[in-house]
Amino acid sequence: MTMSPAPRAVYLDNNATTPCAAEVVAEMLPFFTEQFGNPSSIHAIGAGVAPSIRTARERLQKLLGAAHDTELVFTSGGTESDTTAITSALRALPERREIVISAVEHHAVLSVCEHLAKHEGYKLHIIPVDGQGRLDLKAYENALSENVALVSIMWANNETGTIFPIEHLAQMAKPFGILFHTDAVQAVGKIPLRLSNSAVDMLSLSAHKIHGPKGVGALYLKRGVKFRPLFRGGHQERGRRAGTENTTGIIGLGKAAELALAGIKDENIRVRALRDRLESELVARIPNSIVTGDIEQRLPNTTTIAFEFVEGEAILLMLSRAGIAASSGSACTSGSLEPSHVMRAMGIPFTAAHGATRFSLSRDNTDQDVDQVIAVLPGIIERLRAMSPYWSNETAAPANFQPAYS
Ligand code: PLP
């Protein structure tokens, strides 16, 4: 009996995490063994590590277009950077009791701010987005005042890839003396950034989204911005983040930043073309499928397509069986499948939001990967719809995108 070959693994969940690049691993390895010293030590084994950390900082500075390498503080990842930025701003401006965020922030920002509102009495302005995930600029403008300590708005959304006009938003906040933070975990390495001369005060990033290791990231702090550390203790990171440095992680982040910058034009053009082909072929072959988010202002690697009258989880399981890793816009909360807060904020009807499926590509993806999804997904959706009580051939009509949420 001949066995058919296992399907080739196709990884299209790069907004969740990316594999470490081989060059990144190679640069990290010596720092586990020969160069294991503590960079704060006086002896050569420790002190010898410091120049490599400096190189990592400079590489990251270049990727961000920051004016000074000392504006970067290494952390344990996006979540720590977000929490540090938020709590720092509130402690730095204690007389101000209001915070402004968008309705589609990652939970690393949303949950912290909701907690502060609930338990510490801050007034939280959650700025809505429209059906394409674009920020309501009028509501944003109305929320700004001298009572606001912090604006925290993501540079690009992790589910839809929608890019916010961050420089414009930061400029709008400036006259009020508000501290402006952006969660750029999904934007860094995917779109060119230039922070020198920017009105952005703080920016969060994470290594594992750009082919670096997990558990390491950075917070950009514009020179002169008021700052209160989250961790106190040793004097690492110029007193801004106590704790022995994650040297291997930092070296890995530096290398990942260098590789991202090298590929930011050519690779992203190639990835965008792959994403666009995947998207247009799927929409053409699968009726009642709608691309979500702002089609014009979007990360080059991301598409979330809402397939009406199917469950996202079922799609993911069947894709996984076919060797394809993607992700959904739903979160299973207490046994019921709730569409994500991002889909809800955009007013995507339940019948479509439940089937929202995210494909997030990276420089590792190929035409063959896209071909494989195009070959299997239409059949999967057809089979699932055949089992759905909500689907009939009469249902196959242009999607009605009236907001279905109260
Ligand atoms: N912010 C955004 C937009 C993200 O997508 C993520 C990760 O999914 C995070 C923050 C959290 O980053 P980390 O996993 O490094 O803590």
PDB file of all heavy atoms in Angstrom, residues 225-261:
ATOM      1  N   VAL A 225      11.129  62.446  27.508  1.00  0.00           N
ATOM      2  CA  VAL A 225       9.755  62.117  27.936  1.00  0.00           C
ATOM      3  C   VAL A 225       9.756  61.684  29.399  1.00  0.00           C
ATOM      4  O   VAL A 225      10.639  60.935  29.827  1.00  0.00           O
ATOM      5  CB  VAL A 225       9.179  60.998  27.031  1.00  0.00           C
ATOM      6  CG1 VAL A 225       8.019  60.280  27.688  1.00  0.00           C
ATOM      7  CG2 VAL A 225       8.737  61.585  25.709  1.00  0.00           C
ATOM      8  N   LYS A 226       8.788  62.178  30.145  1.00  0.00           N
ATOM      9  CA  LYS A 226       8.686  61.818  31.563  1.00  0.00           C
ATOM     10  C   LYS A 226       8.462  60.318  31.681  1.00  0.00           C
ATOM     11  O   LYS A 226       7.575  59.780  30.998  1.00  0.00           O
ATOM     12  CB  LYS A 226       7.505  62.537  32.215  1.00  0.00           C
ATOM     13  CG  LYS A 226       7.727  64.007  32.425  1.00  0.00           C
ATOM     14  CD  LYS A 226       6.528  64.571  33.172  1.00  0.00           C
ATOM     15  CE  LYS A 226       6.740  66.055  33.438  1.00  0.00           C
ATOM     16  NZ  LYS A 226       5.611  66.651  34.113  1.00  0.00           N
ATOM     17  N   PHE A 227       9.221  59.657  32.557  1.00  0.00           N
ATOM     18  CA  PHE A 227       9.122  58.198  32.638  1.00  0.00           C
ATOM     19  C   PHE A 227       9.206  57.727  34.077  1.00  0.00           C
ATOM     20  O   PHE A 227      10.003  58.233  34.864  1.00  0.00           O
ATOM     21  CB  PHE A 227      10.249  57.558  31.810  1.00  0.00           C
ATOM     22  CG  PHE A 227      10.219  56.051  31.838  1.00  0.00           C
ATOM     23  CD1 PHE A 227       9.186  55.353  31.225  1.00  0.00           C
ATOM     24  CD2 PHE A 227      11.199  55.328  32.512  1.00  0.00           C
ATOM     25  CE1 PHE A 227       9.127  53.961  31.272  1.00  0.00           C
ATOM     26  CE2 PHE A 227      11.153  53.937  32.557  1.00  0.00           C
ATOM     27  CZ  PHE A 227      10.122  53.262  31.936  1.00  0.00           C
ATOM     28  N   ARG A 228       8.377  56.768  34.424  1.00  0.00           N
ATOM     29  CA  ARG A 228       8.425  56.115  35.738  1.00  0.00           C
ATOM     30  C   ARG A 228       8.538  54.610  35.488  1.00  0.00           C
ATOM     31  O   ARG A 228       7.636  54.022  34.880  1.00  0.00           O
ATOM     32  CB  ARG A 228       7.138  56.389  36.534  1.00  0.00           C
ATOM     33  CG  ARG A 228       6.830  57.862  36.763  1.00  0.00           C
ATOM     34  CD  ARG A 228       7.755  58.502  37.801  1.00  0.00           C
ATOM     35  NE  ARG A 228       7.447  59.902  38.002  1.00  0.00           N
ATOM     36  CZ  ARG A 228       7.917  60.908  37.235  1.00  0.00           C
ATOM     37  NH1 ARG A 228       8.712  60.665  36.225  1.00  0.00           N
ATOM     38  NH2 ARG A 228       7.588  62.164  37.512  1.00  0.00           N
ATOM     39  N   PRO A 229       9.628  53.973  35.956  1.00  0.00           N
ATOM     40  CA  PRO A 229       9.796  52.532  35.655  1.00  0.00           C
ATOM     41  C   PRO A 229       8.735  51.654  36.296  1.00  0.00           C
ATOM     42  O   PRO A 229       8.164  52.003  37.330  1.00  0.00           O
ATOM     43  CB  PRO A 229      11.181  52.204  36.237  1.00  0.00           C
ATOM     44  CG  PRO A 229      11.679  53.415  36.909  1.00  0.00           C
ATOM     45  CD  PRO A 229      10.698  54.534  36.768  1.00  0.00           C
ATOM     46  N   LEU A 230       8.500  50.527  35.640  1.00  0.00           N
ATOM     47  CA  LEU A 230       7.579  49.534  36.194  1.00  0.00           C
ATOM     48  C   LEU A 230       8.323  48.673  37.212  1.00  0.00           C
ATOM     49  O   LEU A 230       7.808  48.357  38.275  1.00  0.00           O
ATOM     50  CB  LEU A 230       7.034  48.669  35.052  1.00  0.00           C
ATOM     51  CG  LEU A 230       6.016  47.608  35.393  1.00  0.00           C
ATOM     52  CD1 LEU A 230       4.721  48.223  35.912  1.00  0.00           C
ATOM     53  CD2 LEU A 230       5.701  46.752  34.161  1.00  0.00           C
ATOM     54  N   PHE A 231       9.544  48.262  36.823  1.00  0.00           N
ATOM     55  CA  PHE A 231      10.372  47.425  37.709  1.00  0.00           C
ATOM     56  C   PHE A 231      11.445  48.299  38.344  1.00  0.00           C
ATOM     57  O   PHE A 231      12.142  49.024  37.636  1.00  0.00           O
ATOM     58  CB  PHE A 231      11.102  46.333  36.911  1.00  0.00           C
ATOM     59  CG  PHE A 231      10.224  45.305  36.266  1.00  0.00           C
ATOM     60  CD1 PHE A 231      10.790  44.348  35.428  1.00  0.00           C
ATOM     61  CD2 PHE A 231       8.848  45.264  36.483  1.00  0.00           C
ATOM     62  CE1 PHE A 231      10.008  43.388  34.815  1.00  0.00           C
ATOM     63  CE2 PHE A 231       8.059  44.305  35.869  1.00  0.00           C
ATOM     64  CZ  PHE A 231       8.643  43.365  35.033  1.00  0.00           C
ATOM     65  N   ARG A 232      11.578  48.201  39.645  1.00  0.00           N
ATOM     66  CA  ARG A 232      12.683  48.878  40.317  1.00  0.00           C
ATOM     67  C   ARG A 232      13.609  47.825  40.892  1.00  0.00           C
ATOM     68  O   ARG A 232      13.197  46.728  41.208  1.00  0.00           O
ATOM     69  CB  ARG A 232      12.171  49.801  41.423  1.00  0.00           C
ATOM     70  CG  ARG A 232      11.466  51.005  40.849  1.00  0.00           C
ATOM     71  CD  ARG A 232      10.899  51.927  41.900  1.00  0.00           C
ATOM     72  NE  ARG A 232      10.049  52.914  41.262  1.00  0.00           N
ATOM     73  CZ  ARG A 232      10.487  54.054  40.732  1.00  0.00           C
ATOM     74  NH1 ARG A 232      11.773  54.354  40.776  1.00  0.00           N
ATOM     75  NH2 ARG A 232       9.658  54.892  40.160  1.00  0.00           N
ATOM     76  N   GLY A 233      14.881  48.157  41.033  1.00  0.00           N
ATOM     77  CA  GLY A 233      15.863  47.188  41.519  1.00  0.00           C
ATOM     78  C   GLY A 233      17.229  47.623  41.050  1.00  0.00           C
ATOM     79  O   GLY A 233      17.666  48.732  41.375  1.00  0.00           O
ATOM     80  N   GLY A 234      17.871  46.780  40.243  1.00  0.00           N
ATOM     81  CA  GLY A 234      19.193  47.112  39.709  1.00  0.00           C
ATOM     82  C   GLY A 234      19.119  48.290  38.736  1.00  0.00           C
ATOM     83  O   GLY A 234      18.027  48.772  38.397  1.00  0.00           O
ATOM     84  N   HIS A 235      20.316  48.700  38.288  1.00  0.00           N
ATOM     85  CA  HIS A 235      20.370  49.908  37.441  1.00  0.00           C
ATOM     86  C   HIS A 235      20.410  49.597  35.953  1.00  0.00           C
ATOM     87  O   HIS A 235      20.779  50.452  35.151  1.00  0.00           O
ATOM     88  CB  HIS A 235      21.586  50.757  37.852  1.00  0.00           C
ATOM     89  CG  HIS A 235      21.394  51.372  39.197  1.00  0.00           C
ATOM     90  ND1 HIS A 235      21.935  50.840  40.345  1.00  0.00           N
ATOM     91  CD2 HIS A 235      20.648  52.443  39.591  1.00  0.00           C
ATOM     92  CE1 HIS A 235      21.547  51.564  41.385  1.00  0.00           C
ATOM     93  NE2 HIS A 235      20.770  52.539  40.950  1.00  0.00           N
ATOM     94  N   GLN A 236      20.015  48.383  35.602  1.00  0.00           N
ATOM     95  CA  GLN A 236      20.058  48.006  34.188  1.00  0.00           C
ATOM     96  C   GLN A 236      19.204  48.960  33.348  1.00  0.00           C
ATOM     97  O   GLN A 236      18.281  49.594  33.857  1.00  0.00           O
ATOM     98  CB  GLN A 236      19.542  46.566  33.998  1.00  0.00           C
ATOM     99  CG  GLN A 236      20.446  45.500  34.592  1.00  0.00           C
ATOM    100  CD  GLN A 236      20.119  45.188  36.035  1.00  0.00           C
ATOM    101  OE1 GLN A 236      19.298  45.841  36.675  1.00  0.00           O
ATOM    102  NE2 GLN A 236      20.801  44.188  36.576  1.00  0.00           N
ATOM    103  N   GLU A 237      19.533  49.004  32.053  1.00  0.00           N
ATOM    104  CA  GLU A 237      18.769  49.852  31.111  1.00  0.00           C
ATOM    105  C   GLU A 237      18.644  51.298  31.631  1.00  0.00           C
ATOM    106  O   GLU A 237      17.585  51.915  31.580  1.00  0.00           O
ATOM    107  CB  GLU A 237      17.380  49.255  30.827  1.00  0.00           C
ATOM    108  CG  GLU A 237      17.433  47.914  30.126  1.00  0.00           C
ATOM    109  CD  GLU A 237      18.028  47.997  28.734  1.00  0.00           C
ATOM    110  OE1 GLU A 237      17.347  48.476  27.807  1.00  0.00           O
ATOM    111  OE2 GLU A 237      19.221  47.616  28.593  1.00  0.00           O
ATOM    112  N   ARG A 238      19.785  51.806  32.168  1.00  0.00           N
ATOM    113  CA  ARG A 238      19.836  53.185  32.699  1.00  0.00           C
ATOM    114  C   ARG A 238      18.765  53.449  33.740  1.00  0.00           C
ATOM    115  O   ARG A 238      18.141  54.521  33.755  1.00  0.00           O
ATOM    116  CB  ARG A 238      19.692  54.190  31.547  1.00  0.00           C
ATOM    117  CG  ARG A 238      20.814  54.096  30.552  1.00  0.00           C
ATOM    118  CD  ARG A 238      20.564  54.932  29.328  1.00  0.00           C
ATOM    119  NE  ARG A 238      21.794  54.905  28.534  1.00  0.00           N
ATOM    120  CZ  ARG A 238      22.565  55.955  28.329  1.00  0.00           C
ATOM    121  NH1 ARG A 238      22.242  57.123  28.816  1.00  0.00           N
ATOM    122  NH2 ARG A 238      23.651  55.828  27.616  1.00  0.00           N
ATOM    123  N   GLY A 239      18.512  52.431  34.550  1.00  0.00           N
ATOM    124  CA  GLY A 239      17.544  52.594  35.640  1.00  0.00           C
ATOM    125  C   GLY A 239      16.095  52.556  35.176  1.00  0.00           C
ATOM    126  O   GLY A 239      15.179  52.800  35.952  1.00  0.00           O
ATOM    127  N   ARG A 240      15.883  52.219  33.897  1.00  0.00           N
ATOM    128  CA  ARG A 240      14.503  52.281  33.400  1.00  0.00           C
ATOM    129  C   ARG A 240      13.807  50.917  33.406  1.00  0.00           C
ATOM    130  O   ARG A 240      12.599  50.824  33.247  1.00  0.00           O
ATOM    131  CB  ARG A 240      14.494  52.880  31.987  1.00  0.00           C
ATOM    132  CG  ARG A 240      14.960  54.345  31.994  1.00  0.00           C
ATOM    133  CD  ARG A 240      15.159  54.906  30.618  1.00  0.00           C
ATOM    134  NE  ARG A 240      16.159  54.159  29.875  1.00  0.00           N
ATOM    135  CZ  ARG A 240      16.539  54.442  28.629  1.00  0.00           C
ATOM    136  NH1 ARG A 240      16.006  55.489  28.019  1.00  0.00           N
ATOM    137  NH2 ARG A 240      17.435  53.717  28.015  1.00  0.00           N
ATOM    138  N   ARG A 241      14.611  49.842  33.562  1.00  0.00           N
ATOM    139  CA  ARG A 241      14.012  48.504  33.630  1.00  0.00           C
ATOM    140  C   ARG A 241      14.986  47.600  34.391  1.00  0.00           C
ATOM    141  O   ARG A 241      15.969  47.110  33.813  1.00  0.00           O
ATOM    142  CB  ARG A 241      13.769  47.968  32.227  1.00  0.00           C
ATOM    143  CG  ARG A 241      12.730  46.871  32.118  1.00  0.00           C
ATOM    144  CD  ARG A 241      13.322  45.509  32.366  1.00  0.00           C
ATOM    145  NE  ARG A 241      12.371  44.445  32.088  1.00  0.00           N
ATOM    146  CZ  ARG A 241      12.676  43.159  32.190  1.00  0.00           C
ATOM    147  NH1 ARG A 241      13.892  42.779  32.560  1.00  0.00           N
ATOM    148  NH2 ARG A 241      11.772  42.249  31.927  1.00  0.00           N
ATOM    149  N   ALA A 242      14.693  47.403  35.687  1.00  0.00           N
ATOM    150  CA  ALA A 242      15.587  46.623  36.526  1.00  0.00           C
ATOM    151  C   ALA A 242      15.526  45.140  36.159  1.00  0.00           C
ATOM    152  O   ALA A 242      14.502  44.657  35.677  1.00  0.00           O
ATOM    153  CB  ALA A 242      15.215  46.822  37.986  1.00  0.00           C
ATOM    154  N   GLY A 243      16.607  44.439  36.424  1.00  0.00           N
ATOM    155  CA  GLY A 243      16.651  42.995  36.169  1.00  0.00           C
ATOM    156  C   GLY A 243      17.772  42.675  35.199  1.00  0.00           C
ATOM    157  O   GLY A 243      17.962  43.412  34.217  1.00  0.00           O
ATOM    158  N   THR A 244      18.495  41.592  35.481  1.00  0.00           N
ATOM    159  CA  THR A 244      19.592  41.198  34.587  1.00  0.00           C
ATOM    160  C   THR A 244      19.068  41.054  33.167  1.00  0.00           C
ATOM    161  O   THR A 244      18.018  40.450  32.940  1.00  0.00           O
ATOM    162  CB  THR A 244      20.214  39.869  35.068  1.00  0.00           C
ATOM    163  OG1 THR A 244      20.694  40.075  36.390  1.00  0.00           O
ATOM    164  CG2 THR A 244      21.362  39.426  34.167  1.00  0.00           C
ATOM    165  N   GLU A 245      19.786  41.622  32.239  1.00  0.00           N
ATOM    166  CA  GLU A 245      19.329  41.646  30.852  1.00  0.00           C
ATOM    167  C   GLU A 245      19.166  40.224  30.286  1.00  0.00           C
ATOM    168  O   GLU A 245      19.973  39.352  30.575  1.00  0.00           O
ATOM    169  CB  GLU A 245      20.322  42.393  29.958  1.00  0.00           C
ATOM    170  CG  GLU A 245      20.488  43.856  30.270  1.00  0.00           C
ATOM    171  CD  GLU A 245      21.517  44.122  31.353  1.00  0.00           C
ATOM    172  OE1 GLU A 245      21.884  43.178  32.090  1.00  0.00           O
ATOM    173  OE2 GLU A 245      21.953  45.278  31.459  1.00  0.00           O
ATOM    174  N   ASN A 246      18.158  40.049  29.473  1.00  0.00           N
ATOM    175  CA  ASN A 246      17.962  38.815  28.702  1.00  0.00           C
ATOM    176  C   ASN A 246      18.904  38.911  27.501  1.00  0.00           C
ATOM    177  O   ASN A 246      18.505  39.235  26.392  1.00  0.00           O
ATOM    178  CB  ASN A 246      16.491  38.743  28.280  1.00  0.00           C
ATOM    179  CG  ASN A 246      16.203  37.603  27.327  1.00  0.00           C
ATOM    180  OD1 ASN A 246      17.080  36.785  27.019  1.00  0.00           O
ATOM    181  ND2 ASN A 246      14.969  37.533  26.851  1.00  0.00           N
ATOM    182  N   THR A 247      20.185  38.634  27.760  1.00  0.00           N
ATOM    183  CA  THR A 247      21.194  38.927  26.717  1.00  0.00           C
ATOM    184  C   THR A 247      20.926  38.158  25.429  1.00  0.00           C
ATOM    185  O   THR A 247      20.955  38.742  24.345  1.00  0.00           O
ATOM    186  CB  THR A 247      22.621  38.626  27.208  1.00  0.00           C
ATOM    187  OG1 THR A 247      22.631  37.328  27.774  1.00  0.00           O
ATOM    188  CG2 THR A 247      23.083  39.628  28.230  1.00  0.00           C
ATOM    189  N   THR A 248      20.643  36.860  25.543  1.00  0.00           N
ATOM    190  CA  THR A 248      20.406  36.086  24.317  1.00  0.00           C
ATOM    191  C   THR A 248      19.216  36.665  23.548  1.00  0.00           C
ATOM    192  O   THR A 248      19.272  36.831  22.332  1.00  0.00           O
ATOM    193  CB  THR A 248      20.125  34.605  24.649  1.00  0.00           C
ATOM    194  OG1 THR A 248      19.162  34.561  25.689  1.00  0.00           O
ATOM    195  CG2 THR A 248      21.383  33.867  25.074  1.00  0.00           C
ATOM    196  N   GLY A 249      18.160  36.974  24.283  1.00  0.00           N
ATOM    197  CA  GLY A 249      16.956  37.527  23.651  1.00  0.00           C
ATOM    198  C   GLY A 249      17.246  38.865  22.980  1.00  0.00           C
ATOM    199  O   GLY A 249      16.805  39.124  21.854  1.00  0.00           O
ATOM    200  N   ILE A 250      17.984  39.713  23.671  1.00  0.00           N
ATOM    201  CA  ILE A 250      18.281  41.052  23.138  1.00  0.00           C
ATOM    202  C   ILE A 250      19.131  40.944  21.865  1.00  0.00           C
ATOM    203  O   ILE A 250      18.861  41.622  20.864  1.00  0.00           O
ATOM    204  CB  ILE A 250      18.986  41.904  24.224  1.00  0.00           C
ATOM    205  CG1 ILE A 250      17.986  42.228  25.347  1.00  0.00           C
ATOM    206  CG2 ILE A 250      19.589  43.172  23.634  1.00  0.00           C
ATOM    207  CD1 ILE A 250      18.618  42.824  26.605  1.00  0.00           C
ATOM    208  N   ILE A 251      20.124  40.047  21.906  1.00  0.00           N
ATOM    209  CA  ILE A 251      20.970  39.846  20.710  1.00  0.00           C
ATOM    210  C   ILE A 251      20.076  39.352  19.564  1.00  0.00           C
ATOM    211  O   ILE A 251      20.203  39.787  18.418  1.00  0.00           O
ATOM    212  CB  ILE A 251      22.086  38.802  20.996  1.00  0.00           C
ATOM    213  CG1 ILE A 251      22.953  39.198  22.151  1.00  0.00           C
ATOM    214  CG2 ILE A 251      22.879  38.434  19.741  1.00  0.00           C
ATOM    215  CD1 ILE A 251      23.798  40.232  22.337  1.00  0.00           C
ATOM    216  N   GLY A 252      19.153  38.440  19.879  1.00  0.00           N
ATOM    217  CA  GLY A 252      18.239  37.910  18.854  1.00  0.00           C
ATOM    218  C   GLY A 252      17.339  38.993  18.295  1.00  0.00           C
ATOM    219  O   GLY A 252      17.114  39.079  17.079  1.00  0.00           O
ATOM    220  N   LEU A 253      16.821  39.850  19.172  1.00  0.00           N
ATOM    221  CA  LEU A 253      15.960  40.951  18.715  1.00  0.00           C
ATOM    222  C   LEU A 253      16.750  41.885  17.793  1.00  0.00           C
ATOM    223  O   LEU A 253      16.241  42.316  16.746  1.00  0.00           O
ATOM    224  CB  LEU A 253      15.405  41.715  19.934  1.00  0.00           C
ATOM    225  CG  LEU A 253      14.701  43.044  19.668  1.00  0.00           C
ATOM    226  CD1 LEU A 253      13.574  42.916  18.648  1.00  0.00           C
ATOM    227  CD2 LEU A 253      14.135  43.630  20.974  1.00  0.00           C
ATOM    228  N   GLY A 254      17.990  42.161  18.181  1.00  0.00           N
ATOM    229  CA  GLY A 254      18.824  43.049  17.347  1.00  0.00           C
ATOM    230  C   GLY A 254      19.016  42.479  15.956  1.00  0.00           C
ATOM    231  O   GLY A 254      18.863  43.182  14.940  1.00  0.00           O
ATOM    232  N   LYS A 255      19.322  41.188  15.888  1.00  0.00           N
ATOM    233  CA  LYS A 255      19.546  40.562  14.572  1.00  0.00           C
ATOM    234  C   LYS A 255      18.239  40.545  13.771  1.00  0.00           C
ATOM    235  O   LYS A 255      18.225  40.820  12.562  1.00  0.00           O
ATOM    236  CB  LYS A 255      20.090  39.140  14.754  1.00  0.00           C
ATOM    237  CG  LYS A 255      20.495  38.468  13.473  1.00  0.00           C
ATOM    238  CD  LYS A 255      21.681  39.173  12.810  1.00  0.00           C
ATOM    239  CE  LYS A 255      22.001  38.622  11.434  1.00  0.00           C
ATOM    240  NZ  LYS A 255      23.035  39.435  10.745  1.00  0.00           N
ATOM    241  N   ALA A 256      17.140  40.225  14.463  1.00  0.00           N
ATOM    242  CA  ALA A 256      15.832  40.199  13.774  1.00  0.00           C
ATOM    243  C   ALA A 256      15.513  41.585  13.207  1.00  0.00           C
ATOM    244  O   ALA A 256      14.973  41.704  12.101  1.00  0.00           O
ATOM    245  CB  ALA A 256      14.742  39.744  14.744  1.00  0.00           C
ATOM    246  N   ALA A 257      15.855  42.627  13.968  1.00  0.00           N
ATOM    247  CA  ALA A 257      15.591  44.000  13.506  1.00  0.00           C
ATOM    248  C   ALA A 257      16.419  44.297  12.260  1.00  0.00           C
ATOM    249  O   ALA A 257      15.923  44.891  11.288  1.00  0.00           O
ATOM    250  CB  ALA A 257      15.922  44.992  14.618  1.00  0.00           C
ATOM    251  N   GLU A 258      17.671  43.850  12.277  1.00  0.00           N
ATOM    252  CA  GLU A 258      18.540  44.093  11.116  1.00  0.00           C
ATOM    253  C   GLU A 258      17.973  43.394   9.878  1.00  0.00           C
ATOM    254  O   GLU A 258      17.894  43.981   8.795  1.00  0.00           O
ATOM    255  CB  GLU A 258      19.953  43.588  11.420  1.00  0.00           C
ATOM    256  CG  GLU A 258      20.943  43.931  10.329  1.00  0.00           C
ATOM    257  CD  GLU A 258      22.275  43.252  10.546  1.00  0.00           C
ATOM    258  OE1 GLU A 258      22.327  41.993  10.606  1.00  0.00           O
ATOM    259  OE2 GLU A 258      23.282  43.968  10.645  1.00  0.00           O
ATOM    260  N   LEU A 259      17.536  42.150  10.045  1.00  0.00           N
ATOM    261  CA  LEU A 259      16.978  41.397   8.907  1.00  0.00           C
ATOM    262  C   LEU A 259      15.676  42.033   8.420  1.00  0.00           C
ATOM    263  O   LEU A 259      15.426  42.114   7.214  1.00  0.00           O
ATOM    264  CB  LEU A 259      16.712  39.940   9.306  1.00  0.00           C
ATOM    265  CG  LEU A 259      17.941  39.091   9.650  1.00  0.00           C
ATOM    266  CD1 LEU A 259      17.512  37.737  10.192  1.00  0.00           C
ATOM    267  CD2 LEU A 259      18.845  38.911   8.431  1.00  0.00           C
ATOM    268  N   ALA A 260      14.850  42.494   9.359  1.00  0.00           N
ATOM    269  CA  ALA A 260      13.571  43.114   8.975  1.00  0.00           C
ATOM    270  C   ALA A 260      13.819  44.369   8.154  1.00  0.00           C
ATOM    271  O   ALA A 260      13.156  44.597   7.132  1.00  0.00           O
ATOM    272  CB  ALA A 260      12.760  43.440  10.225  1.00  0.00           C
ATOM    273  N   LEU A 261      14.792  45.159   8.585  1.00  0.00           N
ATOM    274  CA  LEU A 261      15.069  46.404   7.859  1.00  0.00           C
ATOM    275  C   LEU A 261      15.578  46.091   6.449  1.00  0.00           C
ATOM    276  O   LEU A 261      15.176  46.736   5.476  1.00  0.00           O
ATOM    277  CB  LEU A 261      16.088  47.252   8.636  1.00  0.00           C
ATOM    278  CG  LEU A 261      16.403  48.614   8.040  1.00  0.00           C
ATOM    279  CD1 LEU A 261      15.143  49.477   7.939  1.00  0.00           C
ATOM    280  CD2 LEU A 261      17.457  49.350   8.885  1.00  0.00           C
TER     281      LEU A 261
END
